[in-house]
Amino acid sequence: MHLGRLLPACILTSFSLGAVLPPQIRDADSSSVRLKHLKDMSGKAGDPPEKYFHESIFHPHYDGRFAETTLDYIEQKRALKNLVQTFLATFNDLGVETWLVHGTLLGWWWNKKARRKANGCVITSFYQELTDQKIMPWDSDIDVQVSEPSIFFLGTYYNMSVFHYATPRIPEGRDYMLEVNPHYVNREQTDTMNVIDARWIDTESGLFIDITTARYNLTHPQGEGMMSCKDGHEFRDTYIFPLRTTVFEGVSAKIPYRYEALLRAEYGESALTETVFNK
Ligand SMILES: *[C@@H]1O[C@H](CO)[C@@H](O)[C@H](O)[C@H]1NC(C)=O
Ligand SMILES: *[C@@H]1O[C@H](CO)[C@@H](O)[C@H](O)[C@H]1NC(C)=O
């Protein structure tokens, strides 16, 4: 697949987290997002033809079109942090509501707890950095949800858009791509090959964020207000809305209104009390 040719749009923004770098504006031509490897690491060959997104043959959380191996632990942590910061900043800019879910929400929750504990002390910026509501150290993915109107908006206007960000750590900048699964218009859970509606992809490392849509389920036996995702998750809308505003990895983020009840339902009470990592 020649990805370069498939890039109709280019959206350019610049990003700085407390940084002083001038905006870097340039056209994302075909050379800025390209296949770096001749070997097919995409995993496409082993997937059913109706599956749109492919996970690499070397790791389920990497896109094999952009990398042929995983990063080491420290590098991966850094890349994930940049991934989530650029994602949240972009969606804030676009005005697209998105909220943290699953393991990512759990990571936020645990770090909030750590921060609360620290509240008795003077919080230095160093300590703040340590407890800045973070991705859990062993996680290699990030999960977020959007509403159905949002996925229509993204699919219509921003598919395959490339966003260029420079940060103090990556002064030369890096391209992130938003790719929307054309099967997002299929609302049914029976479309099991396409439960991920969109991805935010680091075109340097191949790491990505899975974006799933929470859709109102008009035929749910529990009646009005139930929402379903194609991956099988179901919840009442009052668990999600109104979204709460928080901070995640130093960037403004949103979380479900009844976040604790959601986490308890998904992971059980022990996920909120056990302090020893248990798979
Ligand atoms: C996004 O673009 C890719 C590449 O052109 C295309 O295969 C895919 O169907 C598009 N998705 C949507 C939602 O249009
Ligand atoms: C609605 O909920 C039912 C019951 O869980 C489920 O079988 C069905 O797939 C859902 N529909 C959609 C569009 O998600």
Side-chain angles (χ1 to χ4, degrees), residues 6 8 52 155 159-160 179-182 184:
L6 299 176
Y52 182 75
N159 183 36
M160 303 308 260
E179 182 166 5
V180 184
N181 188 336
Y184 80 89

Side-chain angles (χ1 to χ4, degrees), residues 5-238:
R5 276 194 299 141
L6 299 176
L7 294 173
C10 54
I11 305 302
L12 298 152
T13 54
S14 153
F15 178 68
S16 56
L17 258 180
V20 287
L21 297 166
Q24 298 194 350
I25 312 280
R26 64 175 175 74
D27 279 331
D29 55 22
S30 57
S31 67
S32 62
V33 176
R34 62 169 171 262
L35 298 171
K36 285 187 298 193
H37 306 285
L38 296 173
K39 257 190 284 176
D40 184 10
M41 309 296 274
S42 76
K44 187 178 180 179
D47 281 339
E50 66 273 24
K51 189 173 186 315
Y52 182 75
F53 283 124
H54 307 290
E55 293 76 36
S56 77
I57 55 174
F58 58 87
H59 194 286
H61 297 150
Y62 284 77
D63 186 328
R65 293 172 300 178
F66 300 106
E68 56 182 15
T69 180
T70 57
L71 299 172
D72 70 30
Y73 180 75
I74 298 286
E75 282 300 314
Q76 179 176 288
K77 262 183 87 152
R78 283 201 190 123
L80 281 173
K81 192 178 166 107
N82 287 328
L83 190 65
V84 76
Q85 288 174 334
T86 54
F87 167 77
L88 291 171
T90 304
F91 275 47
N92 283 341
D93 281 356
L94 297 180
V96 173
E97 229 170 37
T98 183
W99 58 93
L100 312 179
V101 288
H102 310 319
T104 309
L105 184 61
L106 193 59
W108 171 87
W109 191 88
W110 275 102
N111 282 290
K112 177 166 83 87
K113 206 163 146 161
R115 172 181 282 202
R116 251 206 237 113
K117 240 187 201 160
N119 267 350
C121 340
V122 178
I123 307 225
T124 62
S125 59
F126 173 72
Y127 198 83
Q128 184 118 11
E129 157 64 17
L130 278 180
T131 57
D132 218 1
Q133 268 105 348
K134 290 197 169 104
I135 303 166
M136 289 195 287
W138 52 82
D139 256 1
S140 60
D141 72 338
I142 292 157
D143 295 296
V144 298
Q145 287 177 354
V146 295
S147 68
E148 193 166 22
S150 293
I151 197 71
F152 269 86
F153 176 75
L154 296 171
T156 306
Y157 296 111
Y158 289 102
N159 183 36
M160 303 308 260
S161 294
V162 174
F163 298 76
H164 185 76
Y165 279 104
T167 70
R169 258 198 318 264
I170 313 172
E172 71 281 13
R174 185 169 284 200
D175 288 334
Y176 294 86
M177 186 171 82
L178 183 66
E179 182 166 5
V180 184
N181 188 336
H183 299 277
Y184 80 89
V185 288
N186 180 347
R187 312 180 77 242
E188 300 303 325
Q189 292 179 344
T190 46
D191 184 17
T192 54
M193 288 297 116
N194 295 294
V195 301
I196 305 302
D197 291 295
R199 267 180 187 164
W200 177 254
I201 308 163
D202 174 350
T203 65
E204 197 68 35
S205 71
L207 280 164
F208 53 78
I209 294 181
D210 277 337
I211 304 167
T212 52
T213 306
R215 298 174 172 83
Y216 274 102
N217 186 334
L218 305 177
T219 58
H220 199 280
Q222 284 177 45
E224 231 176 90
M226 287 300 290
M227 304 185 89
S228 299
C229 299
K230 284 166 86 172
D231 59 14
H233 285 97
E234 301 194 334
F235 34 79
R236 196 167 283 287
D237 58 358
T238 50

